[in-house]
Amino acid sequence: MADLRDSVFLRACRREATPYPPVWFMRQAGRALPEYRRVRQGNTMLEACRQPELIMEITLQPVRRYGVDAAILFSDIVVPLQAVGVDVEITPGIGPVIAEPFRRAADLDRLPALSPSDVPYVSEAVRALTVELGPVPLIGFAGAPFTLASYLIEGGPSRTHEHTKALMYGDPATWHALLGRLAVIAAGYLQVQIDAGVSAVQVFDSWAGALSAADYLQSVEPHSAALLASVSGVPKIHFGVGTGELLTLMGQAGADVVGVDWRVPLDEAARRVGPGRAVQGNLDPALCFAPWPVLADRVRDTVRRGRGAEGHIFNLGHGVLPETDPDVLRRIVELVHSETAPH
Ligand code: CP3
């Protein structure tokens, strides 16, 4: 039987040779799939995230449908926040909405550490999934401190992050205390998943690209690095969007793999990330809407540029868009798997 440790995904994380780049898609478990929309009916997003049977089914759907080389746990970056008592909901078409946004030092008391008993459904689902998945690795994940802080402070999604930056520039002591607490909660959430058997973890710092390199280094990187340092025993992936100017710093933050969006070509991204790291990415999710010959050329180009890196995990540059045709994703997997030139 194929061995999990020797899976192409884990080999690429370790920067070992693989016959082709492993491929999975951020947000592969989600609205692009009719079978997802069917099983989600009657539950809010966060209700679904608390039911082990639903977590399992939705996590497995893209593995069955696309033949991807890794599964990602169906959950959300705000699940651990809700589990420690934050009043948060995920509003369809908007994203996480926080009832009482965080602005002051006193708000820190609302962020206790996460204990495994806060998320029993996650441990249960991960344990059962690792059995079900056999040789296919399961990726666990958490939100990075900055991205979580942005939701908490703004009260919801923001393009400009002005309240977040106001706190960052105006009250550094509260800022660092807040990010420190969020790193502890995220570390606890990753540890629950690792103890239950995930094969790798990804830290999503989706909105880090809103910062200059100097501000990232001073105000954010120490907390992401602390989160990454808390993880041992499994490969770590560190991802953000619009991070072209941050890739060198992200490469130094402690992950084994740095995820990149489509704005920087993968060979250049690997150069910025530096030696001793693999890269993950980076097809523009909107290219899934282009004619197949155009898309196929870009897939091949991404694979070719990835060969210049020490390790490459094929992915989109951000999540699957909800209107994506699932058959296009299946064809991408097939094409990447047929690109078998020696790495
Ligand atoms: O990748 C996967 O397939 C695993 C599951 C996963 C979800 N969210 C499920 C989800 C992962 C890894 C996430 C992470 C996440 N959540 C991030 C980081 C990744 C990124 O996209 O940058 C962020 C920023 C969030 C916060 C969040 N949750 C947003 C912005 C939204 C979209 C809201 C909307 O309706 O457009 C969500 C909801 C969400 N998380 C959905 C899924 C499948 C859709 C909910 C639904 O089906 O109604």
Side-chain angles (χ1 to χ4, degrees), residues 10 81 114 141:
L10 288 175
L81 298 181
L114 179 95
F141 71 91

Side-chain angles (χ1 to χ4, degrees), residues 24-31 36-37 40 43-45 49 58-59 62 72-78 90-96 139 141-143 147 151 157 202 204-207 239 241 318-320 322:
W24 70 281
F25 304 113
M26 293 181 277
R27 296 280 181 94
Q28 64 189 14
R31 286 169 293 181
Y36 169 82
R37 297 195 294 269
R40 267 289 319 283
N43 286 294
T44 67
M45 173 66 193
C49 290
I58 296 171
T59 301
I72 181 159
L73 183 72
F74 175 71
S75 185
D76 195 86
I77 59 169
V78 298
I90 293 179
T91 308
I94 297 177
I139 303 168
F141 71 91
T147 292
Y151 281 112
Q202 175 155 324
F204 281 94
D205 206 354
S206 301
W207 312 141
F239 167 77
V241 182
H318 199 179
V320 171

